[in-house]
Amino acid sequence: MDNERTIVGRFAPSPTGRMHLGNVYAALISWLSVKQQGGAWLLRIEDIDPDRSRHDYAEQLMDDLQWVGLHWDIGPFYQSERTALYDEQLARLVATGLTYPCYLSRGEILATQAPHESDGRVVYGPEMRAKNAALTQQATTMRRPAIRLRTVSKNISFTDEHYGPQTVNLEKQCGDFILRRSDGAWAYQLAVVVDDALMGVSEVVRGRDLLLSVPQQLYLYELLGFTPPRFTHFPLLCNAAGQRLCKRDRALDMGELRRRFSPEQIIGQLAFLSGLTPTNEPLSPAELLPFFAWDKLPNSDIYVS
Ligand code: GLU
């Protein structure tokens, strides 16, 4: 009898614009990683931000994935259809006594603490808690609160399968973080943990820009009593100016790429850029599978000129 749990990897794009080369690369690496282990690849559309997500972008990104030869085995799931589950898990967090309503606006938070120069992070610490407590007592406050989770000053250690051992003090790195926004929208950290856990995702493979989210996510796994997946992050694709590719880099969006290249040319180029193959010879994702090895991928970001 086979008691082994199926390995499940996932691709979890936000449908906020046309996919670009960096998104295809992210999909490809998570597909290669799980397929090489004989696992299943799950697609989850992360459309919880009502201001930025669009259904036609979701349709388009699925068409782009199929076109390039990346076919999912499970899904698609839409986060916008799963809000009852987030509600249920939020109630469990509220029951721990570690959550609280936060009435501070972003402007008030920024007036108390300047964002980190390097990455724009704002640490929500004790002075912010005090300011919020004062506001909470004002009977006049008519604002709807966000829900925040209180963090503790403890080091969270984990091993990223590509970037190695990491230790982060949650209180210093981000402080208390949002589970549900004041407009009622769910926060990424809560939705991603609930989904990965309930969907049986065993490996999270994604760009290194999300490496610093792992401690927040591990904290949630612990509080909710879920088993965390394995985490593996990969270097990002950057443009010639050294900035991470984004949906504004039009020349590399899938509309333009589909006009100029075949799916195999795109996969071949990504394989070569990532160091998986010695040349950019066109090939399909399945043909690339035997060449995939984590130790071929660099740690530093990859420039696309
Ligand atoms: N939806 C996130 C994004 O598109 C990815 C989330 C994740 O992989 O954990 O950046």
Side-chain angles (χ1 to χ4, degrees), residues 10 12-14 44 46 188 192 204 206 209-210 217 244:
R10 52 44 153 205
S14 305
R44 183 172 68 235
E46 301 212 321
Y188 158 71
V192 79
V204 166
R206 61 188 175 194
D209 52 322
L210 288 166
Q217 294 174 10
R244 173 188 173 203

Side-chain angles (χ1 to χ4, degrees), residues 5 82 85-93 189-201 216-231:
R5 191 173 154 213
R82 298 173 57 80
L85 295 166
Y86 309 144
D87 253 321
E88 241 170 65
Q89 300 304 324
L90 176 65
R92 297 182 60 217
L93 292 169
Q189 305 292 2
L190 178 77
V192 79
V193 167
V194 171
D195 282 348
D196 282 337
L198 299 186
M199 291 175 182
V201 168
Q216 277 153 278
Q217 294 174 10
L218 286 175
Y219 184 48
L220 287 171
Y221 274 97
E222 190 189 316
L223 293 176
L224 291 168
F226 294 140
T227 306
R230 265 195 340 246
F231 289 99

